Amino acid sequence: MSSSKRHTVIATAGHIDHGKTTLVRALTGMETDQLEEEKRRGITIELGFAFLGDDVTIIDVPGHEKFIKTMVAGVSTVDLALLVIAADDVVMPQTKEHLAILYMLGVEDLFVVITKIEDQNSDWLDLVEEDVLKILPQAYKKSARFFRCDSITGDGIENLKRAIIDFAGQLDIRPDSGVFRYPVDRAFSLKGYGTVVTGTILGGSVRVGDRLQVMPQGFEVRVRGLQSHGSDVKETYVGVRTAMNVIGSDVDSIHRGDWICEKSAFQAAEVIDVSLTTLDNAPTLKNRDRIRFHIGTSEVIGRVVLFGKDLVQPGEDCFAQVILEQSIMATRGDRLVIRRYSPLQTIGGGRVLDPVPDRKRRSAQTAWEDFKALDAVSDDDALELKINISGKFGLGIAAVRAFSNSPVQVISNQISRLQKGGKVVLFGSGDSGLLVSAEVIRQAEVAVTRKIGEYHKKFPQSLGIKQASLISELSSGFPAVVLEYIVDGMVSKSLLLDKGYLRRKEHSIRLDAEKQTLVDRIHKVIKEAGFSPPDSGKLQKLLHISEPDLNRILDILFQQGKIVRMADGTPWDVENVRNAWDLIHPYIASDDGKTVSQVREVLGCQRKHTVSLLEYFDREGLTDRIEDLRFPGVNFRQNF
């Protein structure tokens, strides 16, 4: 669900004591300082909220330097920022830092509100506005609007209020991914209700009764109740400031920085690929610097691994992989801010290029190109690029959802287009599915062909390589499911699968005269033994041959179709096994079940050999064992 009417979220920003909370109260008539400490000290510590009409929420953020992380949480989801500057104190350090954070988080619209204008003449106020213009980023210089207000006398308040309402009315419908995503900026408990969380919905919609997932922890909650603008609602949608009453076994562990999302739509991550821009006055950023990483409403400590350079000077752009000390949740395109670990200072900001990347080596030749491609690619082509970047082990469907932030049906349509275009191959289904690029499929086919060719060259006396061995040997470079797909596609075209061995169609076993003589001799011994064949140990003693050499000869005989090996390893001549079957076939056909002893009497051999034969016939489906009796099996009427 989405609304045809956009809900607007506005946040204050600015230095401590510049009148942000008083301005919000003058605009809305609501008190945002709720904590006793806030009222006693006269400063905002936590986020405060007020409503202007039915469709505008104003978030009051703290201005003190100690509470910058709370300020970042408050402005991460806003449409418009009110940069509040006191006329009697002008531009201060937190003014600049808040302004930088707004810009880095992609807040496009800015109202500069000069407060405490009583007793200030117009010339002074002109100078204040000129000073503010000097610090505005270029993106704000042309679009920012200036207002002069006094929250105590009310001077200019109505003009500002009308401008806010007009701004809200002109906004286009908020873009909606269709996937529910909600960053928690407050979590608390209310008597009689339990856990309540607040935040602004960034995508999709939510209804009372929905079952959702708390990320990055991953546990499930159910929505017990919803409120918007102080009123109970059954459903709410993207862009709306919402309070949710949630229930579940782990709700007490929800806190600011968590996300509440559609189930299975996102993944927890401790590695994030990002593009960054540093501020003009930022400290130099060095590879592996420890930083504070702000995204959504969360703050996590991490390190930046730079790609393409070792140092990032003030005002420069870069690509980086951020290695975090705790899991977070993000999706492609999310805005972020990074600050120094200590002393606290905003370094810059940027956006998420890949929320589910593989760890990259700085020395990898393709890493820089991958970053550039992810930064430049359109949303329509991003999935194909991500699959290609994921390489030989492909991209799981769960990761596709986290990367794309799109509904299941939209992703399914994208995958179908890529499949029809011959760009990818999909293995499996649902969240366990795997997408692999067409290039990887080509590489796997080359690897299979080369491996079989090398095996034929090294072992010309062998029929081929066991399929299981081939897949095992190549599995360090490709997923087993891809190798099985390649083999299935090549069998009957260029390969033959014979008795579990893979070989080229043109390949045949080649033995020198000496080895052929030995093979024939061993086969003669096995054949002449009839229904009492020697086991491997007896053959070694009889023929004075080592176990490895004997096993190689037996493999050749098996591949030539001259012997079969029983479960205990004893080799039987194929003709002798066929003769044994011809003897017992009519005997078992009576359908009254036969014991091992009864079958042994028919064959006239030792019990152990009778048991081996019957177990072989069971495996082949010729007989069926029920307790101690043998009956005709599913393949009983087929030729041996």
Side-chain angles (χ1 to χ4, degrees):
M1 174 213 170
S2 63
S3 172
S4 59
K5 191 173 184 181
R6 176 162 177 164
H7 189 97
T8 304
V9 181
I10 298 171
T12 63
H15 196 75
I16 185 173
D17 286 336
H18 276 209
K20 295 186 295 298
T21 301
T22 308
L23 175 64
V24 174
R25 184 168 59 241
L27 286 168
T28 67
M30 299 178 68
E31 179 67 63
T32 59
D33 281 347
Q34 300 293 328
L35 301 178
E36 288 300 323
E37 185 181 0
E38 290 178 323
K39 294 176 180 178
R40 184 177 68 253
R41 294 171 60 185
I43 66 171
T44 299
I45 296 173
E46 275 294 339
L47 299 174
F49 304 90
F51 308 126
L52 184 60
D54 293 331
D55 296 297
V56 177
T57 298
I58 301 179
I59 305 175
D60 184 24
V61 307
H64 196 286
E65 193 277 337
K66 289 183 179 179
F67 308 119
I68 282 285
K69 67 178 183 180
T70 307
M71 178 268 173
V72 175
V75 302
S76 64
T77 58
V78 304
D79 302 295
L80 170 69
L82 305 180
L83 182 64
V84 180
I85 300 171
D88 59 357
D89 208 15
V90 297
V91 174
M92 298 296 284
Q94 255 52 66
T95 309
K96 296 178 181 179
E97 187 160 22
H98 280 204
L99 183 60
I101 290 169
L102 293 172
Y103 176 67
M104 292 297 173
L105 288 176
V107 179
E108 296 181 357
D109 294 287
L110 181 73
F111 286 2
V112 179
V113 184
I114 311 300
T115 60
K116 303 183 180 182
I117 63 173
E118 190 179 17
D119 301 328
Q120 305 293 337
N121 62 52
S122 59
D123 290 340
W124 173 252
L125 295 177
D126 289 342
L127 290 173
V128 172
E129 291 186 1
E130 288 178 14
D131 285 344
V132 174
L133 270 173
K134 292 176 184 177
I135 67 167
L136 290 183
Q138 193 62 39
Y140 288 143
K141 286 186 184 294
K142 293 181 179 180
S143 61
R145 295 177 60 184
F146 283 77
F147 298 85
R148 299 175 180 180
C149 298
D150 193 289
S151 302
I152 304 300
T153 66
D155 189 11
I157 293 296
E158 284 302 317
N159 183 38
L160 175 59
K161 186 184 296 187
R162 282 195 303 271
I164 291 172
I165 293 172
D166 288 345
F167 171 85
Q170 293 171 11
L171 287 176
D172 294 331
I173 298 300
R174 188 186 297 268
D176 184 6
S177 68
V179 182
F180 183 72
R181 199 163 68 110
Y182 173 96
V184 175
D185 55 38
R186 285 194 306 169
F188 51 91
S189 181
L190 283 179
K191 187 175 181 180
Y193 292 90
T195 299
V196 176
V197 295
T198 67
T200 302
I201 300 174
L202 295 189
S205 61
V206 61
R207 293 180 61 87
V208 173
D210 281 353
R211 293 186 179 276
L212 304 170
Q213 191 170 29
V214 177
M215 297 295 292
Q217 300 94 316
F219 60 84
E220 183 180 302
V221 294
R222 184 168 64 84
V223 180
R224 184 181 183 185
L226 294 168
Q227 274 198 357
S228 179
H229 273 233
S231 300
D232 291 341
V233 293
K234 293 293 185 183
E235 182 176 13
T236 186
Y237 49 87
V238 62
V240 176
R241 183 78 202 164
T242 302
M244 287 199 293
N245 179 201
V246 294
I247 56 176
S249 58
D250 297 301
V251 290
D252 290 343
S253 63
I254 301 175
H255 53 77
R256 172 185 293 158
D258 290 341
W259 294 77
I260 300 181
C261 312
E262 179 180 320
K263 291 171 63 177
S264 303
F266 301 97
Q267 290 187 329
E270 294 178 359
V271 180
I272 302 286
D273 284 354
V274 301
S275 63
L276 295 174
T277 299
T278 58
L279 299 174
D280 291 338
N281 62 344
T284 299
L285 181 64
K286 300 185 291 294
N287 182 53
R288 296 201 63 80
D289 266 356
R290 202 166 186 223
I291 51 106
R292 297 176 185 271
F293 185 83
H294 296 265
I295 189 165
T297 56
S298 65
E299 177 196 39
V300 178
I301 308 301
R303 291 189 184 275
V304 285
V305 179
L306 302 176
F307 285 80
K309 54 181 71 175
D310 296 319
L311 297 172
V312 183
Q313 301 295 344
E316 289 186 344
D317 299 331
C318 68
F319 297 125
Q321 189 162 77
V322 183
I323 314 299
L324 301 166
E325 296 180 11
Q326 293 174 264
S327 295
I328 65 164
M329 195 211 81
T331 193
R332 177 174 162 80
D334 281 352
R335 306 292 301 199
L336 60 100
V337 169
I338 61 169
R339 305 185 75 223
R340 288 181 70 175
Y341 176 72
S342 181
L344 297 174
Q345 183 180 356
T346 300
I347 298 171
R351 67 188 183 96
V352 174
L353 299 179
D354 187 349
V356 284
D358 294 323
R359 293 285 286 264
K360 294 180 175 65
R361 293 183 179 179
R362 297 185 73 220
S363 58
Q365 294 182 353
T366 60
W368 170 254
E369 295 300 323
D370 289 346
F371 272 110
K372 285 178 61 179
L374 282 167
D375 190 42
V377 72
S378 68
D379 289 341
D380 289 340
D381 297 326
L383 178 57
E384 180 183 353
L385 175 63
K386 172 62 177 171
I387 295 168
N388 291 336
I389 288 174
S390 297
K392 294 181 178 179
F393 285 89
L395 186 66
I397 294 299
V400 170
R401 294 195 67 189
F403 177 83
S404 301
N405 186 24
S406 298
V408 172
Q409 189 57 54
V410 171
I411 292 174
S412 178
N413 292 341
Q414 285 182 302
I415 293 172
S416 294
R417 286 196 295 272
L418 292 174
Q419 286 179 292
K420 289 176 182 177
K423 304 293 183 64
V424 302
V425 176
L426 173 63
F427 299 94
S429 60
D431 285 348
S432 62
L434 180 70
L435 285 164
V436 177
S437 70
E439 173 59 20
V440 169
I441 298 297
R442 187 194 67 79
Q443 293 173 11
E445 186 169 343
V446 169
V448 167
T449 302
R450 182 186 297 120
K451 176 61 70 174
I452 293 175
E454 291 171 351
Y455 192 89
H456 285 334
K457 186 175 181 180
K458 188 175 181 180
F459 304 105
Q461 75 280 8
S462 176
L463 181 64
I465 185 172
K466 290 182 179 179
Q467 182 173 353
S469 297
L470 173 76
I471 290 172
S472 176
E473 290 183 30
L474 294 178
S475 61
S476 61
F478 301 92
V481 67
V482 171
L483 296 170
E484 291 166 358
Y485 170 84
I486 294 299
V487 169
D488 289 345
M490 294 177 70
V491 168
S492 79
K493 293 180 181 177
S494 58
L495 299 179
L496 291 176
L497 180 61
D498 189 358
K499 302 181 184 68
Y501 291 82
L502 284 166
R503 63 182 174 92
R504 290 178 177 172
K505 281 188 173 182
E506 65 274 16
H507 174 75
S508 59
I509 293 175
R510 298 191 301 275
L511 301 174
D512 57 37
E514 181 180 355
K515 181 156 286 188
Q516 185 64 59
T517 299
L518 182 58
V519 169
D520 292 342
R521 182 184 174 197
I522 292 175
H523 182 224
K524 182 180 179 182
V525 170
I526 296 170
K527 184 177 181 67
E528 290 180 349
F531 294 168
S532 299
D535 60 24
S536 294
K538 288 181 179 178
L539 283 172
Q540 290 173 54
K541 292 178 182 178
L542 181 64
L543 300 168
H544 307 290
I545 189 172
S546 68
E547 183 179 4
D549 286 343
L550 176 62
N551 283 329
R552 279 192 284 272
I553 298 299
L554 293 178
D555 279 344
I556 291 170
L557 288 169
F558 174 75
Q559 293 169 22
Q560 289 177 333
K562 294 180 178 179
I563 67 168
V564 295
R565 300 189 76 169
M566 299 304 175
D568 62 0
T570 302
W572 279 68
D573 175 71
V574 167
E575 288 300 319
N576 289 341
V577 176
R578 181 177 290 110
N579 291 337
W581 176 246
D582 289 343
L583 285 172
I584 67 173
H585 180 272
Y587 186 61
I588 292 179
S590 60
D591 245 357
D592 56 353
K594 297 296 185 288
T595 65
V596 171
S597 297
Q598 289 172 314
V599 175
R600 179 182 169 226
E601 290 178 7
V602 174
L603 295 174
C605 62
Q606 296 179 32
R607 180 181 176 85
K608 68 176 183 179
H609 294 311
T610 303
V611 170
S612 291
L613 276 170
L614 288 174
E615 288 178 347
Y616 173 77
F617 294 144
D618 291 342
R619 291 195 301 274
E620 295 296 311
L622 299 171
T623 55
D624 183 23
R625 179 179 177 178
I626 301 176
E627 296 182 349
D628 292 330
L629 300 177
R630 274 352 190 259
F631 295 88
V634 293
N635 297 327
F636 182 77
R637 300 192 183 282
Q638 294 182 13
N639 293 327
F640 175 77

